[in-house]
Amino acid sequence: MAQLKSWISLPLGLPTNEFQELIQKTKDWTLMHGGGIRSKHHFSSDSLTVVPFTLLPSVFPRDEFQKALNIQPVLNELTHMVSRDYEFLQSCLEKTIEVDEFTNNLYKLYETVREEGFTQCGALQSKCLGLLRSDYMLDVCHSLSVKQVEMNTIASSFGGMTSSVLTHRFVLQQLDLLDTFKLLPENKAVQGLCSAIIKAWELFNDEDSVVLVIIEDKSINICDQRFHEFELTRQKPELRVIRKTLTQISNEAKLTESKDLIVQSKKVAVVYYRAGYSPDHYHSDAEWSARLLIERSTAIKCPNIQYHLAGTKKVQQSLAIPGMLERFIKDPAKVADVREVFTGLYSLDLDESGDKAVKLALDNPECYVLKPQREGGGNNFYGEAIRQKLMSCINSKERSAWILMEKICPPVQQNYLIRPEQDFTKNSTLNDVISELGIFGTILCDGDTILLNEQVGHMMRTKLTSCNEGGVHAGDGVLDSPFLIDLQKK
Ligand SMILES: Nc1ncnc2c1ncn2[C@@H]1O[C@H](COP(=O)(O)OP(=O)(O)O)[C@@H](O)[C@H]1O
Ligand SMILES: [Mg+2]
């Protein structure tokens, strides 16, 4: 694996007691500035533990960072166009929904509101809001260029925390490296994400209406969610935010005759989902009914069901089929830019091209990732497990529930990973790590009119090289910041 040299000489070379003090002080600083997360194992709504983070920011090439920022508005619009293309969504997902119950449930919901939209005029409403995050890794196979891991269209997280808790600035200051501040790019993700929610609320045009946040039964990532909520209130003090689970919505929410969504006697202008992307969030039919109720309402959904489906891995794979991007993007230069960040993506449908992909994976499983239609981390298969999984369904339709993706090989760097309750007397060693960059985008539309389409900020996560998955919420990744340098490319 290619190694990326750190911007600072490592190990840090501080005496043990000074190193431990730096770590403890940085943990306290992070927690005191909102870098907290609820403990999964000892959950209490009264306490927080420090969010896992890298002690030092990680090197990222400036031009590749800029490339990822520049392309975001094109990806926002692409997602929007896909969400409006019924034939495309149907043909992408038709095989998958035969075998994947969760995607099928989402798709049925889509069909229901779509049909009602035609018969009842307006259930499939024209206003929509996307808060998106496109994730990338640097790929050393292509001379250090960014490759897209996935596009998130629902509950894209960590914009609040990574733009509000500037731990790495604090560390650089502690290390007496003030002149390096300028190499940490400005990040206004939470301001941009919340400004888009407010614009949607204004578009709804009812001063008394509220923003509804759909949450999990237990919100582990509470600080990130609250950063959004408190930023909304900072920008728009008169705006009220209500937080409910889908179960609570099924018991408490109503639709008026004109299809306004009413929660706690308030009309809902915007529904912002921070849950609803995993089968675990639907305990019974009640939660699906709640989702349908919201979908039928006049509230602006973030995301609506079409945006949710446009974020499936199956759609990502279909967009990579040669010629497909041209269906949605008319400017050939933009098509080329998007294509450049795609890596190999293959359907596993029970047909000739699916058979070819199966062969690729069986011949070299270590070069691929096998992905189902799931979000939230921990669902993919790697290496030998790919072979076993594919062999178990080689002649069955079940294959269509999955896609195959070329494995991206990011350069390895070194860093110290800080986690709660870690004993740093024994474990102060440097780790080999790799990073994943996320770029946030916002898009607000009314029918064919795009009212807002922006890139608004970034986040970075880092994980051990020995670890396949990288979710911070899931427990594998830790928060990081890009430290921009100009690399001489080969
Ligand atoms: N093509 C890939 N190459 C290398 N690692 C990958 C690839 N795709 C996914 N991963 C790793 O798996 C993690 C989860 O995959 P992802 O597609 O983001 O699914 P999820 O929706 O569960 O977040 C990523 O954060 C990344 O660490
Ligand atoms: Mg992901």
Side-chain angles (χ1 to χ4, degrees):
M1 273 186 168
Q3 198 89 19
L4 207 53
K5 197 170 173 318
S6 179
W7 54 276
I8 188 170
S9 156
L10 290 174
L12 276 181
L14 295 173
T16 308
N17 59 343
E18 278 182 41
F19 182 73
Q20 285 171 358
E21 197 186 316
L22 173 67
I23 286 174
Q24 190 56 49
K25 202 193 287 187
T26 309
K27 275 183 169 179
D28 289 343
W29 190 97
T30 301
L31 205 45
M32 288 173 68
H33 288 79
I37 200 159
R38 300 245 197 264
S39 166
K40 262 192 199 163
H41 305 296
H42 310 284
F43 184 90
S44 156
S45 54
D46 286 340
S47 53
L48 293 169
T49 52
V50 68
V51 70
F53 62 94
T54 57
L55 182 64
L56 303 163
S58 293
V59 164
F60 206 90
R62 182 188 306 278
D63 49 358
E64 291 301 312
F65 181 77
Q66 195 58 47
K67 189 201 279 180
L69 296 186
N70 292 349
I71 206 177
Q72 190 60 38
V74 185
L75 295 176
N76 293 342
E77 193 172 340
L78 172 64
T79 306
H80 178 66
M81 300 305 284
V82 167
S83 80
R84 289 171 65 83
D85 191 330
Y86 171 66
E87 276 173 27
F88 178 73
L89 286 178
Q90 191 209 25
S91 70
C92 282
L93 295 168
E94 65 184 349
K95 299 266 169 39
T96 307
I97 58 180
E98 282 181 33
V99 285
D100 182 333
E101 192 190 346
F102 181 64
T103 311
N104 188 35
N105 283 337
L106 294 173
Y107 192 82
K108 277 195 301 204
L109 223 148
Y110 171 46
E111 284 285 18
T112 305
V113 284
R114 205 183 80 84
E115 278 162 22
E116 291 177 0
F118 289 119
T119 55
Q120 297 177 21
C121 295
L124 188 72
Q125 55 149 286
S126 58
K127 300 182 179 73
C128 60
L129 172 66
L131 301 186
L132 312 177
R133 198 189 71 214
S134 179
D135 290 338
Y136 304 90
M137 282 173 162
L138 278 172
D139 193 15
V140 287
C141 304
H142 303 80
S143 112
L144 275 186
S145 59
V146 282
K147 295 287 162 191
Q148 187 183 48
V149 174
E150 65 158 344
M151 170 62 92
N152 299 283
T153 60
I154 181 165
S156 311
S157 61
F158 284 112
M161 196 176 298
T162 49
S163 57
S164 309
V165 188
L166 304 179
T167 295
H168 292 122
R169 282 176 73 98
F170 176 76
V171 175
L172 296 182
Q173 180 263 325
Q174 290 294 304
L175 293 173
D176 226 356
L177 294 165
L178 296 182
D179 55 335
T180 58
F181 271 23
K182 58 181 180 299
L183 301 174
L184 300 178
E186 185 181 61
N187 191 7
K188 296 206 163 166
V190 76
Q191 290 92 328
L193 294 167
C194 291
S195 149
I197 296 177
I198 289 170
K199 290 209 172 81
W201 178 76
E202 288 168 349
L203 183 65
F204 191 80
N205 200 21
D206 181 334
E207 281 187 0
D208 216 27
S209 65
V210 298
V211 171
L212 171 67
V213 185
I214 299 295
I215 54 171
E216 319 96 306
D217 296 338
K218 287 181 178 173
S219 294
I220 301 287
N221 198 8
I222 186 71
C223 292
D224 184 58
Q225 293 181 11
R226 292 288 194 204
F227 271 123
H228 288 78
E229 181 177 340
F230 300 158
E231 176 64 17
L232 285 173
T233 318
R234 188 190 71 78
Q235 289 186 26
K236 204 73 178 169
E238 64 270 36
L239 179 60
R240 289 282 157 266
V241 177
I242 296 178
R243 290 164 57 85
K244 296 280 177 196
T245 63
L246 284 171
T247 316
Q248 289 169 326
I249 291 297
S250 78
N251 291 325
E252 299 172 26
K254 302 258 169 315
L255 281 195
T256 64
E257 243 170 59
S258 53
K259 298 207 170 12
D260 287 326
L261 179 67
I262 307 294
V263 177
Q264 286 179 1
S265 311
K266 293 282 186 192
K267 201 187 280 185
V268 177
V270 181
V271 182
Y272 171 38
Y273 284 91
R274 289 299 297 244
Y277 55 81
S278 160
D280 298 346
H281 303 155
Y282 300 81
H283 310 301
S284 67
D285 287 347
E287 289 74 22
W288 286 109
S289 304
R291 182 91 196 251
L292 180 59
L293 187 85
I294 293 171
E295 213 59 44
R296 280 176 164 151
S297 78
T298 58
I300 300 174
K301 277 78 68 176
C302 177
N304 62 23
I305 188 67
Q306 308 90 290
Y307 265 63
H308 189 168
L309 291 172
T312 53
K313 272 83 180 171
K314 192 67 199 167
V315 164
Q316 182 189 11
Q317 173 262 306
S318 304
L319 286 172
I321 296 170
M324 201 54 91
L325 282 174
E326 288 80 351
R327 178 177 175 126
F328 302 104
I329 308 173
K330 297 297 161 230
D331 179 349
K334 287 183 180 169
V335 170
D337 288 346
V338 174
R339 182 150 290 289
E340 198 184 311
V341 300
F342 281 1
T343 188
L345 285 149
Y346 307 93
S347 156
L348 291 166
D349 287 354
L350 215 48
D351 56 20
E352 197 185 328
S353 63
D355 289 343
K356 275 192 195 152
V358 169
K359 185 169 176 349
L360 284 178
L362 293 181
D363 287 350
N364 287 300
E366 65 287 352
C367 298
Y368 296 94
V369 183
L370 183 65
K371 297 188 177 189
Q373 311 307 308
R374 290 291 175 278
E375 301 295 325
N379 302 300
N380 301 337
F381 283 65
Y382 300 83
E384 195 47 38
I386 295 183
R387 189 174 279 157
Q388 282 169 19
K389 181 72 210 170
L390 282 179
M391 290 307 287
S392 75
C393 60
I394 196 147
N395 292 318
S396 101
K397 285 199 292 191
E398 202 207 324
R399 259 169 48 179
S400 307
W402 302 77
I403 63 145
L404 187 71
M405 185 171 184
E406 219 174 279
K407 195 165 182 187
I408 308 167
C409 297
V412 177
Q413 302 187 49
Q414 291 201 308
N415 213 323
Y416 302 97
L417 306 191
I418 319 289
R419 299 180 193 273
E421 291 173 34
Q422 188 179 18
D423 182 355
F424 254 88
T425 50
K426 294 190 193 115
N427 189 3
S428 57
T429 50
L430 278 170
N431 292 293
D432 281 346
V433 296
I434 49 180
S435 303
E436 185 171 345
L437 175 74
I439 305 294
F440 292 99
T442 56
I443 182 159
L444 176 66
C445 303
D446 192 354
D448 289 332
T449 314
I450 298 181
L451 303 168
L452 172 87
N453 177 12
E454 287 178 350
Q455 172 280 116
V456 295
H458 63 270
M459 63 88 89
M460 200 156 103
R461 284 170 292 176
T462 286
K463 63 177 183 178
L464 295 174
T465 46
S466 54
C467 177
N468 283 320
E469 298 276 323
V472 177
H473 187 280
D476 299 313
V478 311
L479 292 184
D480 197 346
S481 313
F483 186 94
L484 299 184
I485 56 157
D486 296 301
L487 278 183
Q488 292 293 335
K489 289 199 176 178
K490 278 179 265 170

